[in-house]
Amino acid sequence: MTAVPSPSDRPMTHREILEALSGLLLGLFVAVLSSTIVSNALPTILGDLHGGESAYTWVITAALLSLTASTPIWGKLSDLVSKKLLMQVALVIYILSSTLAGLSQNTAELIGCRVLQGVGAGGVVALGQICLAAMVPPRERGRYSGYFGAVFALATIGGPLIGGVIVDTPWLGWRWCFYVGIPFSLIAIVVLQRTLHLPVVKRAAKIDYLGSLLIAGAVSLLMVWVTLAGKNYPWASWQTAAMVGGGLLLALLFVLTERRAAEPIIPLGLFRHRTVSLAAVASALVGIGMYGATTFLSQYFQLARGKTPTMAGLLTLPMILGLAVSSAAAGRLITRHGRWKRYLVAGTFLLALGFTLLGTARAQTSYGLLSLYMLATGIGLGLTSQNLVLAVQNTVPVKELGTASSAVTFFRTMGGAMGVSALGALLGTKVTHYLADNLRAAHLPATGAPGGGDLPDLHKLPAPLVPLVTDAFGHGIGTVFLVAAPFALLAFLVVLFIREVPLRTHHAEPAARPAAVPQSQDA
């Protein structure tokens, strides 16, 4: 019986791609926004909910952790069932969790809602790249990946600005940081239903639930360790041995499980491709910069410079513009010439340079210099993050596009979650140390000084303490960026060893394709 042709049997036109892309980009924007919009608003949120520095870190990392753990699951599901349906389900999860987060009455409730929000956001982020890969061949994908990179950049770096404006607007308040994405998510669901038509492979789904639990447990245990070590107990202690040992044991069990699973969450065979292995490592290292920059720059401008949340967001505009423009420009140049490695090399180098320069920042550093440092960092991120995904998509067989794409995203968000958690713990330790030094130098007692991991309200501190506190935060955050710089440098060294393969101009596999699988139009 002859199959009836459907829109999914022919390549999508440029107009059809743009129409579908509008829904994907709208969903991507609100999903990524959920990870960063709270950055500038957190001092206000935690002041209202009575949380401290550890809660500050966990409100951000809870979403990153669940995003990290769920990304491979979404990727595997996309290789088995309707990509459009999965995208819409992820958006619904995002809407429900955002509503609950806005209704939170304490930090425990908020962190729990952020975990659920990360699950939905993980689906949207992973599936956006996967749907693009299904619509567009690799050579043309750079053109559209530039849009993804620009939107990702605006949401990642612009989120703190939007959150700052919301929390500084009296008739809105911080709860609208969670409500604001809901109407846009509803619009994205409708647009995708009308415009996104992709083939769906019909075969039995076998989800590796055990693998998902093991990898989530391993990452969670290590994150708890880096958050509490050095503060609740010494780095060299039995708690450290138990948590690190437990995390490594769970990771080992995950690898053993993946070797036996019928449908592994992260097929270990993917890492036989050198490009996939190196891109995964580089993505984890770049993730530290992507999420760390927004988190700690927000604290810098509010706690070291005394700016409002809105001004703190506006002051990061050099990074926003550098990231958005470089991502879009690189995407177009990659499409025109088919070469991508040069942008990875330049991007990771600029990221390392930007972090090194930001490591010299103090409370009194000129904003002109800070703008140049942030611009270099933003350009580095824009040239790097999306192009690592593109390099992997160009390497693996078409049937593994979803799994491979989500694997890269998994390592990027894992790096971000672990990095923010570890660097946040380091910041708390350093600020306490520098503030104690400042108090001794000024011959002032510690009475009235912020402590115990609390985030200070500069307007409520005694006047003599304010410059000592801002200096401590400026010095501490500068130290955090200096510690992050070697990770970016390591990413630069890693991408040097990635072998460049010119982008394919069609959807054909690098090797011989397997027997044809019946396809039907996406619901």
Side-chain angles (χ1 to χ4, degrees):
M1 182 176 178
T2 305
V4 178
S6 72
S8 62
D9 294 326
R10 60 173 174 79
M12 296 175 68
T13 65
H14 178 61
R15 178 177 178 177
E16 290 172 334
I17 291 172
L18 289 180
E19 288 174 347
L21 206 61
S22 63
L24 294 175
L25 293 177
L26 190 58
L28 177 70
F29 182 78
V30 295
V32 177
L33 194 70
S34 68
S35 297
T36 60
I37 194 170
V38 297
S39 295
N40 279 343
L42 269 179
T44 301
I45 294 172
L46 297 180
D48 191 16
L49 299 181
H50 308 293
E53 181 68 46
S54 60
Y56 190 110
T57 301
W58 271 101
V59 169
I60 294 174
T61 55
L64 290 179
L65 174 61
S66 57
L67 192 156
T68 301
S70 65
T71 294
I73 301 176
W74 291 109
K76 173 54 64 178
L77 285 172
S78 74
D79 288 334
L80 304 175
V81 295
S82 167
K83 298 175 179 62
K84 180 168 78 176
L85 177 60
L86 287 175
M87 187 71 160
Q88 292 171 319
V89 169
L91 285 167
V92 169
I93 293 174
Y94 171 82
I95 291 170
L96 293 176
S97 58
S98 297
T99 303
L100 293 173
L103 297 173
S104 299
Q105 299 301 311
N106 54 61
T107 55
E109 289 181 10
L110 179 58
I111 291 170
C113 293
R114 290 283 289 171
V115 171
L116 185 59
Q117 198 176 40
V119 173
V124 175
V125 172
L127 292 164
Q129 288 285 351
I130 292 165
C131 289
L132 176 65
M135 291 190 295
V136 184
R139 178 60 182 268
E140 293 298 317
R141 205 172 297 150
R143 175 185 187 183
Y144 301 102
S145 291
Y147 300 140
F148 270 76
V151 169
F152 200 97
L154 289 173
T156 301
I157 311 296
L161 171 58
I162 297 172
V165 172
I166 289 174
V167 81
D168 281 342
T169 304
W171 52 273
L172 287 176
W174 64 263
R175 297 183 187 277
W176 274 93
C177 290
F178 303 103
Y179 299 148
V180 69
I182 293 175
F184 298 102
S185 300
L186 292 170
I187 295 172
I189 290 173
V190 174
V191 171
L192 291 171
Q193 180 62 31
R194 295 174 61 89
T195 62
L196 185 61
H197 304 289
L198 295 174
V200 57
V201 178
K202 298 290 187 180
R203 61 189 178 99
K206 295 181 180 179
I207 306 303
D208 180 17
Y209 296 107
L210 178 59
S212 305
L213 289 173
L214 288 172
I215 191 63
V219 175
S220 300
L221 202 54
L222 292 173
M223 280 182 57
V224 171
W225 168 63
V226 297
T227 302
L228 301 179
K231 183 167 53 178
N232 293 60
Y233 47 79
W235 287 96
S237 64
W238 69 265
Q239 291 96 331
T240 289
M243 290 189 178
V244 173
L248 295 177
L249 177 61
L250 289 175
L252 176 61
L253 291 174
F254 169 74
V255 172
L256 296 176
T257 299
E258 296 303 274
R259 293 181 63 181
R260 296 174 176 270
E263 294 282 357
I265 289 295
I266 302 179
L268 301 182
L270 282 176
F271 299 98
R272 287 197 293 267
H273 300 284
R274 186 174 72 172
T275 296
V276 175
S277 299
L278 294 175
V281 174
S283 293
L285 297 168
V286 168
I288 296 173
M290 177 169 290
Y291 294 103
T294 56
T295 300
F296 298 113
L297 278 175
S298 297
Q299 287 201 55
Y300 172 81
F301 284 116
Q302 289 187 71
L303 300 177
R305 308 287 284 240
K307 304 298 182 182
T308 65
T310 300
M311 281 303 300
L314 288 172
L315 292 172
T316 61
L317 277 175
M319 183 177 290
I320 299 173
L321 295 175
L323 208 161
V325 172
S326 64
S327 179
R332 289 191 169 275
L333 290 172
I334 289 171
T335 294
R336 182 179 303 171
H337 303 293
R339 317 296 295 193
W340 44 265
K341 182 175 177 178
R342 64 192 68 174
Y343 303 104
L344 291 180
V345 173
T348 48
F349 175 79
L350 285 172
L351 185 59
L353 177 63
F355 275 5
T356 301
L357 294 173
L358 285 171
T360 66
R362 298 294 182 267
Q364 300 79 22
T365 302
S366 159
Y367 180 70
L369 289 176
L370 285 174
S371 297
L372 294 177
Y373 303 163
M374 288 187 289
L375 181 64
T377 304
I379 293 174
L381 289 171
L383 294 177
T384 306
S385 58
Q386 297 303 310
N387 293 328
L388 284 169
V389 178
L390 179 64
V392 168
Q393 290 176 341
N394 189 55
T395 300
V396 302
V398 173
K399 65 178 182 179
E400 293 180 340
L401 272 177
T403 305
S405 301
S406 62
V408 177
T409 305
F410 167 83
F411 282 100
R412 182 175 64 202
T413 51
M414 184 179 69
M418 296 289 291
V420 169
S421 185
L423 294 175
L426 174 66
L427 175 61
T429 301
K430 289 297 182 182
V431 167
T432 300
H433 172 75
Y434 294 136
L435 181 57
D437 287 348
N438 290 346
L439 290 170
R440 281 195 297 270
H443 305 290
L444 290 174
T447 306
D454 294 331
L455 295 174
D457 184 338
L458 298 180
H459 301 290
K460 295 181 180 179
L461 289 177
L465 283 179
V466 172
L468 306 183
V469 172
T470 56
D471 179 80
F473 271 94
H475 198 172
I477 293 170
T479 301
V480 164
F481 279 113
L482 202 59
V483 170
F487 293 99
L489 180 60
L490 185 57
F492 167 75
L493 297 175
V494 168
V495 300
L496 288 178
F497 290 96
I498 295 179
R499 183 169 60 89
E500 183 170 36
V501 177
L503 296 178
R504 305 195 299 270
T505 57
H506 47 76
H507 277 105
E509 308 230 2
R513 291 180 62 92
V517 178
Q519 294 178 338
S520 64
Q521 185 176 346
D522 208 326

